[in-house]
Amino acid sequence: MRRIAHSILLSLLLALSVVSYAADNPLKVSHQAQATLHNLNQWENRLLRTYLQHRISENQHLIGFINESRVEAVKTEHDASYNQYVASLLNDQQSLARLSKALLAHGRAENLDFDSMLGNWPVFHHHLKHNLNKTLTAEQGDRLLKRVLYFSLQDKYAQR
């Protein structure tokens, strides 16, 4: 029982360190997202590009406000929930940037047509659109990437 408690505590500490690292670096996250948006502009998969650009841009506006407001972390209950929201927003933006970069890299390396795949798999298209409208953690972003690549490769090599 104690081992389980220690494992859970260690997992929580690792998760909090990742979140606090993102929360301490809003400018770094913002620069990564801007670079990702720039790379997406040159991508030929318009449908998926539009989804990702829209979501990253929305987050960028919120992060820009946070950077400009320069609200210092204080100790009230409301500010604690605000700081938690900021950390979640930055984590989401990092996940979207990582997902976008990976899709760009794999799409170009394998010559994958993600838009065609989304047209051929309408249920997955709906699922992807729904997931891109939710806050993504790094783990959820990795799972989503694997599913997109799976369906794209299946679509590319399928005997139709």
Side-chain angles (χ1 to χ4, degrees):
M1 187 70 165
R2 291 189 83 169
R3 286 185 181 183
I4 294 173
H6 288 292
S7 298
I8 292 171
L9 180 62
L10 183 61
S11 299
L12 285 173
L13 288 174
L14 287 173
L16 287 174
S17 68
V18 169
V19 170
S20 66
Y21 176 76
D24 293 341
N25 296 292
L27 290 174
K28 182 180 178 187
V29 172
S30 186
H31 290 303
Q32 288 174 343
Q34 281 302 116
T36 301
L37 281 172
H38 175 71
N39 290 335
L40 283 173
N41 281 333
Q42 303 161 4
W43 201 27
E44 58 278 351
N45 288 290
R46 279 186 23 198
L47 184 62
L48 191 53
R49 177 183 69 201
T50 302
Y51 291 154
L52 292 168
Q53 283 177 323
H54 176 73
R55 185 62 198 287
I56 291 171
S57 295
E58 280 184 338
N59 285 353
Q60 279 299 95
H61 290 300
L62 292 171
I63 292 170
F65 173 76
I66 290 165
N67 288 337
E68 291 170 10
S69 67
R70 300 182 192 270
V71 177
E72 298 299 322
V74 282
K75 306 292 189 246
T76 69
E77 180 181 323
H78 298 294
D79 292 322
S81 62
Y82 169 79
N83 291 335
Q84 187 177 17
Y85 168 76
V86 170
S88 174
L89 174 67
L90 294 174
N91 191 19
D92 180 52
Q93 191 72 322
Q94 284 180 322
S95 297
L96 285 167
R98 204 174 312 123
L99 174 66
S100 300
K101 286 178 187 177
L103 287 174
L104 281 164
H106 289 294
R108 288 180 176 152
E110 293 286 332
N111 195 24
L112 297 174
D113 184 4
F114 294 116
D115 288 350
S116 173
M117 175 273 298
L118 292 175
N120 292 332
W121 300 91
V123 173
F124 178 67
H125 181 181
H126 175 73
H127 177 73
L128 176 72
K129 191 173 179 180
H130 176 71
N131 279 330
L132 287 176
N133 286 327
K134 295 189 316 187
T135 301
L136 288 178
T137 63
E139 181 181 328
Q140 290 167 329
D142 288 341
R143 263 188 274 141
L144 196 56
L145 170 66
K146 289 175 184 171
R147 292 199 66 201
V148 170
L149 292 176
Y150 170 78
F151 283 113
S152 297
L153 289 168
Q154 187 174 357
D155 198 52
K156 179 179 178 181
Y157 294 110
Q159 299 289 331
R160 292 189 183 251

